[in-house]
Amino acid sequence: MSIDLYEYQNGLYQFIPETDSLIVVEQIYNNGHYKKIIWLTEYGEKKRVMDVLDYNSLTTHF
């Protein structure tokens, strides 16, 4: 599955280790017309939140 990071890709360099690649996990949660998207990095057992997007799909359109 491909993940489109759009405006987030420019800030990814701060998360990329010097000697490794970057793994990005996208988690999407829906609660009615509210949506939360979380982007995480994974390094073995560790996870770090890169960004979170919350929005109401009735009022916000991309």
Side-chain angles (χ1 to χ4, degrees):
M1 177 178 169
S2 173
I3 298 174
D4 294 320
L5 298 173
Y6 300 113
E7 69 271 15
Y8 302 102
Q9 62 191 355
N10 287 335
L12 291 178
Y13 293 109
Q14 66 182 340
F15 295 99
I16 299 173
E18 291 182 17
T19 59
D20 203 352
S21 61
L22 179 68
I23 297 171
V24 177
V25 177
E26 181 180 67
Q27 297 178 344
I28 300 173
Y29 301 93
N30 294 299
N31 185 6
H33 51 270
Y34 292 98
K35 183 178 272 193
K36 178 181 290 238
I37 304 172
I38 301 172
W39 289 276
L40 306 148
T41 61
E42 288 187 336
Y43 300 102
E45 297 293 319
K46 296 180 182 179
K47 292 183 179 162
R48 181 174 174 190
V49 175
M50 295 170 55
D51 209 342
V52 177
L53 175 64
D54 289 295
Y55 68 94
N56 179 339
S57 62
L58 297 178
T59 59
T60 306
H61 302 281
F62 295 98

